[in-house]
Coordinates of all heavy atoms in Angstrom, one line a residue:
M1 N 107.4 96.7 114.3 CA 106.2 96.3 113.6 C 105.1 97.3 113.8 O 104.2 97.3 113.0 CB 105.8 94.9 113.8 CG 106.8 93.9 113.2 SD 106.7 93.7 111.4 CE 105.1 92.9 111.2
E2 N 105.1 98.0 114.9 CA 104.0 98.9 115.2 C 103.9 100.1 114.3 O 102.8 100.5 114.1 CB 104.2 99.4 116.7 CG 103.8 98.3 117.7 CD 103.7 98.9 119.1 OE1 103.3 100.1 119.1 OE2 104.1 98.2 120.0
F3 N 104.9 100.5 113.7 CA 104.8 101.6 112.7 C 104.0 101.2 111.5 O 103.5 102.1 110.8 CB 106.2 102.1 112.4 CG 107.0 101.2 111.4 CD1 106.9 101.4 110.0 CD2 107.8 100.2 111.8 CE1 107.5 100.5 109.2 CE2 108.5 99.4 111.0 CZ 108.4 99.6 109.6
L4 N 103.9 100.0 111.2 CA 103.1 99.5 110.1 C 101.7 99.7 110.3 O 100.8 99.6 109.4 CB 103.4 98.0 109.8 CG 104.8 97.7 109.1 CD1 105.1 96.3 109.0 CD2 104.9 98.5 107.8
N5 N 101.2 99.8 111.6 CA 99.8 100.0 111.8 C 99.3 101.2 111.3 O 98.1 101.5 111.0 CB 99.6 100.0 113.4 CG 99.7 98.6 114.0 OD1 99.5 97.6 113.3 ND2 100.0 98.6 115.3
D6 N 100.2 102.2 111.0 CA 99.7 103.5 110.3 C 99.3 103.2 108.8 O 98.6 104.0 108.3 CB 100.8 104.5 110.4 CG 101.2 104.9 111.8 OD1 100.3 104.8 112.6 OD2 102.3 105.3 112.0
Y7 N 99.8 102.1 108.3 CA 99.5 101.9 106.9 C 98.4 100.8 106.8 O 98.1 100.4 105.6 CB 100.9 101.3 106.2 CG 101.8 102.4 106.2 CD1 102.9 102.3 107.1 CD2 101.8 103.4 105.2 CE1 103.9 103.4 107.0 CE2 102.7 104.4 105.1 CZ 103.8 104.4 106.1 OH 104.7 105.3 106.0
L8 N 97.8 100.4 107.8 CA 96.7 99.4 107.8 C 95.4 100.2 107.3 O 95.0 101.1 108.0 CB 96.5 98.7 109.1 CG 95.6 97.6 109.1 CD1 96.1 96.4 108.2 CD2 95.4 97.1 110.5
I9 N 94.8 99.7 106.2 CA 93.5 100.4 105.8 C 92.5 99.3 105.8 O 92.5 98.3 105.1 CB 93.8 100.9 104.3 CG1 94.9 102.0 104.3 CG2 92.5 101.5 103.8 CD1 95.9 101.7 103.2
L10 N 91.5 99.5 106.7 CA 90.5 98.4 107.0 C 89.6 98.1 105.8 O 89.3 97.0 105.6 CB 89.7 98.9 108.1 CG 90.4 99.0 109.5 CD1 89.4 99.4 110.6 CD2 91.0 97.7 109.8
I11 N 89.4 99.0 104.8 CA 88.5 98.8 103.7 C 89.3 97.8 102.8 O 88.7 96.8 102.3 CB 88.2 100.0 102.9 CG1 87.3 100.8 103.8 CG2 87.6 99.8 101.6 CD1 87.0 102.2 103.3
V12 N 90.6 98.0 102.6 CA 91.4 97.2 101.8 C 91.5 95.8 102.3 O 91.4 94.7 101.7 CB 92.7 97.8 101.5 CG1 93.6 96.9 100.7 CG2 92.7 99.2 100.9
V13 N 91.7 95.7 103.7 CA 91.8 94.5 104.4 C 90.5 93.7 104.3 O 90.5 92.4 103.8 CB 92.1 94.6 105.9 CG1 91.9 93.4 106.7 CG2 93.4 95.3 106.1
G14 N 89.3 94.3 104.4 CA 88.1 93.6 104.2 C 87.9 93.1 102.8 O 87.5 91.9 102.6
I15 N 88.2 93.9 101.8 CA 88.0 93.4 100.4 C 88.9 92.3 100.1 O 88.5 91.3 99.5 CB 88.2 94.7 99.5 CG1 87.1 95.7 99.6 CG2 88.3 94.1 98.0 CD1 87.3 97.0 98.9
C16 N 90.3 92.4 100.5 CA 91.2 91.3 100.3 C 90.8 90.1 101.0 O 91.1 88.9 100.5 CB 92.6 91.8 100.6 SG 93.1 93.0 99.4
L17 N 90.4 90.2 102.2 CA 90.0 89.0 103.0 C 88.8 88.3 102.4 O 88.9 87.0 102.2 CB 89.6 89.4 104.4 CG 89.1 88.4 105.3 CD1 90.2 87.5 105.7 CD2 88.5 89.0 106.5
C18 N 87.8 89.0 101.8 CA 86.7 88.4 101.2 C 87.1 87.8 99.9 O 86.7 86.6 99.6 CB 85.7 89.4 100.9 SG 84.8 90.0 102.4
I19 N 87.9 88.4 99.1 CA 88.4 87.8 97.7 C 89.2 86.5 98.1 O 89.1 85.6 97.4 CB 89.1 88.9 96.9 CG1 88.2 90.0 96.6 CG2 89.7 88.2 95.7 CD1 87.0 89.7 95.7
G20 N 90.1 86.6 99.0 CA 90.9 85.4 99.4 C 90.1 84.3 99.9 O 90.4 83.2 99.5
Y21 N 89.1 84.5 100.6 CA 88.3 83.5 101.2 C 87.4 82.9 100.1 O 87.4 81.7 99.9 CB 87.3 84.1 102.2 CG 86.3 83.1 102.8 CD1 86.7 82.3 103.9 CD2 85.0 82.9 102.2 CE1 85.8 81.4 104.3 CE2 84.2 82.0 102.8 CZ 84.6 81.2 103.8 OH 83.7 80.3 104.4
V22 N 86.9 83.7 99.1 CA 86.1 83.2 98.0 C 87.0 82.3 97.1 O 86.8 81.2 96.7 CB 85.5 84.3 97.2 CG1 85.1 83.8 95.8 CG2 84.4 84.9 97.9
L23 N 88.3 82.8 96.8 CA 89.2 82.0 96.0 C 89.6 80.7 96.7 O 89.6 79.6 96.0 CB 90.5 82.8 95.8 CG 90.4 83.9 94.7 CD1 91.7 84.7 94.7 CD2 90.2 83.4 93.4
K24 N 89.8 80.7 97.9 CA 90.1 79.4 98.6 C 89.0 78.5 98.7 O 89.3 77.2 98.5 CB 90.6 79.7 100.0 CG 91.1 78.6 100.8 CD 91.9 78.9 102.0 CE 92.4 77.8 102.8 NZ 93.5 77.1 102.0
H25 N 87.7 78.8 98.7 CA 86.7 78.0 98.9 C 85.9 77.7 97.6 O 85.2 76.7 97.6 CB 85.8 78.5 100.1 CG 86.4 78.4 101.3 ND1 87.7 78.6 101.6 CD2 85.8 78.0 102.6 CE1 87.9 78.5 102.9 NE2 86.8 78.1 103.5
V26 N 86.0 78.5 96.6 CA 85.2 78.3 95.4 C 86.1 77.5 94.4 O 85.5 76.6 93.7 CB 84.7 79.6 94.8 CG1 84.1 79.4 93.5 CG2 83.7 80.2 95.8
V27 N 87.4 77.9 94.3 CA 88.2 77.2 93.3 C 88.6 75.8 93.8 O 89.3 75.7 94.9 CB 89.4 78.0 92.9 CG1 90.3 77.3 92.0 CG2 89.0 79.4 92.4
P28 N 88.2 74.7 93.2 CA 88.5 73.4 93.8 C 90.0 72.9 93.6 O 90.3 72.0 94.5 CB 87.6 72.5 92.9 CG 87.5 73.1 91.5 CD 87.6 74.6 91.9
S29 N 90.8 73.6 92.9 CA 92.1 73.1 92.8 C 93.0 73.6 93.9 O 92.9 74.8 94.2 CB 92.7 73.6 91.4 OG 94.0 73.3 91.4
D30 N 93.9 72.9 94.4 CA 94.9 73.3 95.4 C 96.0 74.2 94.8 O 96.7 74.8 95.5 CB 95.5 72.1 96.1 CG 94.5 71.5 97.1 OD1 93.5 72.2 97.5 OD2 94.7 70.3 97.5
K31 N 96.2 74.1 93.5 CA 97.2 74.9 92.8 C 97.0 76.3 93.0 O 98.0 77.1 93.1 CB 97.2 74.6 91.3 CG 97.7 73.1 91.1 CD 97.8 72.8 89.6 CE 98.2 71.4 89.4 NZ 98.4 71.1 88.0
V32 N 95.8 76.9 93.1 CA 95.5 78.2 93.3 C 95.8 78.8 94.7 O 96.1 79.9 94.9 CB 94.0 78.5 92.9 CG1 93.1 78.8 94.1 CG2 93.9 79.8 92.0
N33 N 95.8 77.9 95.7 CA 96.0 78.4 97.1 C 97.4 78.9 97.2 O 97.6 79.9 98.0 CB 95.9 77.1 98.0 CG 94.5 76.7 98.2 OD1 93.6 77.4 97.9 ND2 94.4 75.5 98.8
R34 N 98.4 78.6 96.5 CA 99.8 79.1 96.7 C 99.9 80.5 96.1 O 100.8 81.3 96.4 CB 100.9 78.2 96.1 CG 100.8 78.1 94.7 CD 101.9 77.0 94.2 NE 101.8 77.0 92.8 CZ 102.9 76.6 92.1 NH1 104.0 76.1 92.7 NH2 102.9 76.7 90.8
F35 N 98.9 80.9 95.2 CA 98.9 82.2 94.5 C 98.0 83.3 95.3 O 98.0 84.4 94.9 CB 98.5 82.1 93.0 CG 99.5 81.4 92.3 CD1 99.2 80.1 91.7 CD2 100.7 81.9 92.0 CE1 100.1 79.5 90.9 CE2 101.6 81.3 91.2 CZ 101.3 80.1 90.7
I36 N 97.2 82.8 96.3 CA 96.3 83.6 97.0 C 97.1 84.9 97.6 O 96.6 86.0 97.5 CB 95.4 82.9 97.9 CG1 94.5 82.0 97.2 CG2 94.7 83.9 98.9 CD1 93.6 81.1 98.1
P37 N 98.2 84.7 98.2 CA 98.9 85.9 98.8 C 99.3 86.8 97.7 O 99.2 88.1 97.9 CB 100.1 85.3 99.5 CG 99.7 83.9 99.8 CD 98.9 83.4 98.7
L38 N 99.8 86.4 96.5 CA 100.2 87.2 95.5 C 98.9 88.0 94.9 O 98.9 89.2 94.7 CB 100.8 86.4 94.3 CG 101.1 87.2 93.0 CD1 102.2 88.3 93.3 CD2 101.6 86.3 92.0
I39 N 97.8 87.3 94.8 CA 96.6 87.8 94.4 C 96.1 88.9 95.2 O 95.8 90.1 94.8 CB 95.4 86.8 94.0 CG1 95.9 86.0 92.9 CG2 94.1 87.5 93.8 CD1 95.2 84.7 92.8
V40 N 96.0 88.6 96.5 CA 95.5 89.7 97.5 C 96.5 90.9 97.6 O 96.1 92.0 97.8 CB 95.1 89.1 98.8 CG1 93.9 88.1 98.6 CG2 96.2 88.5 99.6
A41 N 97.8 90.7 97.5 CA 98.8 91.8 97.6 C 98.5 92.6 96.4 O 98.5 94.0 96.6 CB 100.2 91.2 97.6
V42 N 98.4 92.2 95.2 CA 98.1 93.0 94.0 C 96.9 93.7 94.1 O 96.8 94.9 93.8 CB 98.3 92.2 92.7 CG1 97.9 93.0 91.5 CG2 99.8 91.7 92.5
L43 N 95.9 93.0 94.6 CA 94.6 93.6 94.7 C 94.6 94.7 95.8 O 93.9 95.7 95.6 CB 93.5 92.5 95.1 CG 92.1 93.0 95.3 CD1 91.5 93.5 94.0 CD2 91.3 91.8 95.9
G44 N 95.3 94.4 96.8 CA 95.4 95.5 97.9 C 96.1 96.7 97.3 O 95.6 97.9 97.6
V45 N 97.1 96.7 96.6 CA 97.8 97.9 95.9 C 96.7 98.5 94.9 O 96.6 99.7 95.0 CB 99.0 97.5 95.2 CG1 99.5 98.7 94.5 CG2 100.1 97.0 96.2
F46 N 96.0 97.8 94.2 CA 95.1 98.4 93.3 C 94.0 99.1 94.0 O 93.6 100.3 93.6 CB 94.5 97.3 92.3 CG 93.5 97.8 91.4 CD1 93.8 98.5 90.3 CD2 92.1 97.5 91.7 CE1 92.8 99.0 89.4 CE2 91.1 98.0 90.7 CZ 91.5 98.8 89.7
V47 N 93.3 98.5 95.0 CA 92.3 99.1 95.8 C 92.8 100.3 96.4 O 92.1 101.4 96.5 CB 91.6 98.1 96.7 CG1 90.6 98.7 97.6 CG2 90.9 96.9 95.9
N48 N 93.9 100.3 97.0 CA 94.4 101.5 97.7 C 94.7 102.6 96.7 O 94.4 103.8 97.0 CB 95.7 101.1 98.5 CG 96.1 102.1 99.5 OD1 95.2 102.9 99.9 ND2 97.3 102.1 100.0
A49 N 95.2 102.3 95.6 CA 95.5 103.3 94.6 C 94.2 103.9 94.1 O 94.0 105.1 93.9 CB 96.3 102.8 93.4
W50 N 93.2 103.0 93.9 CA 91.8 103.4 93.5 C 91.2 104.4 94.6 O 90.6 105.3 94.2 CB 90.9 102.2 93.3 CG 89.6 102.5 92.8 CD1 89.1 103.4 91.9 CD2 88.4 101.7 93.2 NE1 87.8 103.4 91.7 CE2 87.3 102.3 92.5 CE3 88.2 100.6 94.1 CZ2 86.0 101.8 92.6 CZ3 86.9 100.2 94.1 CH2 85.8 100.8 93.4
M51 N 91.3 104.1 95.8 CA 90.8 104.9 96.9 C 91.5 106.3 96.9 O 90.9 107.2 97.4 CB 90.9 104.2 98.2 CG 90.0 103.0 98.4 SD 90.3 102.2 99.9 CE 90.5 103.4 101.1
N52 N 92.7 106.4 96.4 CA 93.4 107.7 96.4 C 93.5 108.2 95.0 O 94.5 108.8 94.7 CB 94.9 107.4 97.0 CG 94.8 107.1 98.4 OD1 94.4 107.9 99.2 ND2 95.1 105.8 98.8
A53 N 92.5 108.1 94.2 CA 92.3 108.6 92.9 C 93.5 108.3 91.9 O 94.0 109.0 91.2 CB 92.3 110.2 92.9
F54 N 93.9 107.0 92.1 CA 94.9 106.4 91.2 C 96.3 107.1 91.3 O 97.1 107.1 90.4 CB 94.5 106.2 89.8 CG 93.5 105.2 89.7 CD1 92.2 105.4 89.5 CD2 93.8 103.8 89.7 CE1 91.2 104.4 89.3 CE2 92.9 102.8 89.6 CZ 91.6 103.2 89.4
A55 N 96.5 107.7 92.5 CA 97.9 108.3 92.8 C 98.7 107.1 93.2 O 98.3 106.1 93.7 CB 97.8 109.3 93.8
F56 N 100.0 107.2 92.9 CA 100.9 106.0 93.2 C 102.2 106.5 93.9 O 103.0 107.1 93.2 CB 101.2 105.2 91.9 CG 101.7 103.9 92.3 CD1 100.9 102.8 92.8 CD2 103.1 103.6 92.2 CE1 101.4 101.6 93.1 CE2 103.6 102.3 92.5 CZ 102.7 101.4 93.0
T57 N 102.2 106.4 95.2 CA 103.4 106.8 96.0 C 103.9 105.6 96.7 O 103.2 104.6 96.9 CB 103.0 107.9 96.9 OG1 102.1 107.4 97.9 CG2 102.4 109.2 96.2
P58 N 105.1 105.7 97.3 CA 105.5 104.5 98.2 C 104.6 104.2 99.3 O 104.4 103.1 99.7 CB 106.9 105.0 98.6 CG 107.4 105.9 97.6 CD 106.1 106.6 97.1
E59 N 103.9 105.3 99.8 CA 103.0 105.1 101.0 C 101.7 104.2 100.5 O 101.1 103.4 101.3 CB 102.5 106.4 101.6 CG 103.6 107.0 102.4 CD 104.5 107.9 101.5 OE1 104.2 108.2 100.3 OE2 105.6 108.3 101.9
I60 N 101.3 104.5 99.3 CA 100.2 103.8 98.8 C 100.5 102.4 98.5 O 99.8 101.4 98.7 CB 99.6 104.5 97.5 CG1 98.9 105.8 98.0 CG2 98.6 103.6 96.8 CD1 98.4 106.7 96.9
L61 N 101.8 102.2 97.9 CA 102.2 100.8 97.7 C 102.3 100.0 98.9 O 101.8 98.9 99.1 CB 103.6 100.9 97.0 CG 104.2 99.6 96.8 CD1 103.5 98.8 95.7 CD2 105.6 99.8 96.2
L62 N 103.0 100.6 100.1 CA 103.1 99.9 101.2 C 101.8 99.6 101.9 O 101.5 98.6 102.4 CB 104.0 100.7 102.2 CG 104.2 100.1 103.6 CD1 104.9 98.7 103.5 CD2 105.1 101.1 104.4
G63 N 100.9 100.7 101.9 CA 99.6 100.5 102.6 C 98.8 99.4 101.9 O 98.2 98.5 102.5
G64 N 98.9 99.3 100.5 CA 98.1 98.3 99.8 C 98.7 97.0 100.1 O 97.9 96.0 100.3
L65 N 100.0 96.8 100.0 CA 100.7 95.5 100.3 C 100.4 95.0 101.7 O 99.9 93.9 101.9 CB 102.1 95.5 100.0 CG 102.6 95.6 98.5 CD1 104.1 95.9 98.5 CD2 102.3 94.4 97.9
F66 N 100.6 95.8 102.6 CA 100.5 95.5 104.0 C 98.8 95.1 104.3 O 98.6 94.2 105.0 CB 100.9 96.6 105.0 CG 100.9 96.3 106.4 CD1 101.6 95.2 107.0 CD2 100.0 96.9 107.3 CE1 101.5 94.8 108.2 CE2 100.0 96.6 108.7 CZ 100.7 95.5 109.1
S67 N 98.0 95.9 103.8 CA 96.7 95.7 104.1 C 96.1 94.4 103.3 O 95.4 93.7 103.9 CB 95.7 96.9 103.7 OG 96.1 98.0 104.4
G68 N 96.6 94.2 102.1 CA 96.2 93.0 101.3 C 96.7 91.8 102.0 O 96.0 90.7 102.0
L69 N 97.9 91.8 102.5 CA 98.5 90.6 103.2 C 98.1 90.4 104.6 O 98.4 89.3 105.2 CB 100.0 90.6 103.0 CG 100.5 90.5 101.6 CD1 102.0 90.7 101.4 CD2 100.1 89.1 101.0
A70 N 97.5 91.4 105.2 CA 97.0 91.3 106.6 C 95.9 90.3 106.8 O 95.8 89.6 107.7 CB 96.6 92.7 107.2

């Protein structure tokens, strides 16, 4: 698991953490809670691609997924 630390992007982690927190505490329904990991994973990939001028490589995909779910 230590090799995944190379793919951890703190900006993506921070953005996804904040969005996940807001979704969990603002939306009153418990039905949305089970979709929060999916939402932050997709958001992490999008933000990581955005940070890299919308290039899309396996490294960007892994970095976005790992950082979004961290």
